[in-house]
Amino acid sequence: MSRTLPSPPPLTEDPPRGGSPLSNGLKQRHLSMIALGGVIGAGLFVGSGAGIAAAGPSIVLAYAASGLLVMFVMRMLGEMSAANPASGSFSVHADRAIGPWAGFTAGWMFWTLLVVGVAIEAIGAAHIMQGWFPGTPSWLWVLAFMALFCATNLGAVSHFGEFEFWFAALKIGAIALFLTLGALAILGVLPGSDSPGTAHLLHDGGFLPNGMDGLLVGLLASLAAYGGLETVTIAAAESEDPVRGVAKAVRTTMWRIGIVYVGSMLVIVALIPWDDKAVTDSGPYAAVLDRLGVPAGGQIMNVVVLIALLSAMNANIYGSSRMAYSLVSRGQGPKFLAKVSGGVPRRAVLASSAFGFFAVLLSYWYPTTVFAWLLNMVGGVVLVVWGFIAASQLLLRRRLEREAPEQLVVRMWGFPYLTWVTLAGVAGALVLMTLDTDTRVQVYFTGGLALALAVIGYVRGRTAAATTG
């Protein structure tokens, strides 16, 4: 016997409470560079060293496999965001597709990931500055960077866009130069270098020197490097043409991932032995530049890494403040954060920045307890968010086809089969994390955070329904 289903929630974002709407001060050039620069983070420049040390030359396969998963996720997110641009991005989509508890869980998990990320990036940037200015206290640099980017985000959104535009331009320029030098060296046409051929790819222990176990560790390491791509769909809601902007950004994801990530890994493992200690000690990019005889290669990469860290700080403060604003504007957080002035949710910016700075203090006060718990809690958040994105797209696609097919400007490939493949890939990655001793505890902490937020979101939803009913 059939039963009548409740009407689905509307496909437009709920109006904010306590303030004017957000501005649309981001230009198309800002959005394009945010999309490009979002691919290139400190995790790629530094964190990839651990993956190379574990997987050897097969790190190329690891990044290709995880990159394919990310492309599917971004395509699904692009489909939903082009149809319904919202400052809460996937949190809004999960809210409408699955229920308010899902939007609450995905949104606040991502907010936690971003503000803890701000702390990690601030500490990393301060460490680089201390190397250049010995004797200066780390807290001074952290305070300076936090104040700078908090102030940037308190101003018009175009200020954030300009910072990210130039940060992205510098990162893209650095990657382009690195890939060009690497390609010339592989071909043997770079002055002072001989072509290595396949020596490092096949003869330093083989393509899979540590077997499948090493490849799986490299796969997990590569997944962590892709975080940050989601920010462009959050920023799209404040752009001049959100639909066109997000559609263009998503459509170019494939070649960006292929060139920047997979191309970089191929250059690195082709030019230097995968087990060279410099890969983890100095970072793989600095190790290659030193091997090629580029003067001050290590310091050049320190500058690039610093830019990547500052860019991530800026983007994370922006993304966390907009996510918080979206959540509270939907009644899923403290109402006082929903106030908007001058098109900017300044209270949400201050709250996100303050928590990020507090997390820095926790890293000094309780590095092995409270801060370690925070790091573990956000260790698998990206995978959980990707799971919500895939599940939301699976449900919303049918609704869009039925109610507003003209809004399907971007379409997920091979729907629904590749959506199910993505969900299986996310589940598989979480299972792999439980098999690795270094990441198993992250799954447990992340799972605990997700469960706690889901319960809170469900109870809040039931309470709100009972009150309005």
Side-chain angles (χ1 to χ4, degrees), residues 409-420:
V409 179
V410 178
R411 290 175 180 264
M412 174 59 183
W413 309 297
F415 178 82
Y417 306 108
L418 289 184
T419 301
W420 283 110

Side-chain angles (χ1 to χ4, degrees), residues 322-336:
R322 268 45 177 191
M323 183 59 74
Y325 162 78
S326 176
L327 286 161
V328 299
S329 71
R330 288 178 277 139
Q332 296 181 342
K335 292 181 181 179
F336 75 93

Side-chain angles (χ1 to χ4, degrees), residues 225-236:
Y226 284 109
L229 286 169
E230 303 86 358
T231 303
V232 69
T233 59
I234 295 174

Side-chain angles (χ1 to χ4, degrees), residues 28-52:
Q28 183 60 43
R29 67 181 180 89
H30 292 149
L31 206 60
S32 297
M33 292 300 273
I34 290 170
L36 286 166
V39 181
I40 308 169
L44 175 65
F45 291 121
V46 181
S48 57
I52 294 171

Side-chain angles (χ1 to χ4, degrees), residues 153-225:
N153 281 280
L154 284 172
V157 71
S158 59
H159 296 168
F160 159 76
E162 283 299 319
F163 264 97
E164 283 305 294
F165 179 87
W166 292 108
F167 279 148
L170 291 169
K171 290 188 292 183
I172 292 164
I175 280 288
L177 181 60
F178 175 83
L179 291 174
T180 301
L181 290 174
L184 292 175
I186 290 172
L187 295 173
V189 296
L190 187 70
S193 67
D194 296 320
S195 174
T198 60
H200 301 312
L201 289 172
L202 302 177
H203 304 302
D204 292 334
F207 190 72
L208 279 164
N210 293 319
M212 290 303 297
D213 289 343
L215 176 60
L216 294 178
V217 173
L219 180 64
L220 292 177
S222 66
L223 286 169

Side-chain angles (χ1 to χ4, degrees), residues 216 219-220 223 427-437 439-440 443:
L216 294 178
L219 180 64
L220 292 177
L223 286 169
L430 288 169
V431 171
L432 289 178
M433 288 182 71
T434 64
L435 301 179
D436 185 81
T437 54
T439 55
R440 182 182 301 131
V443 176

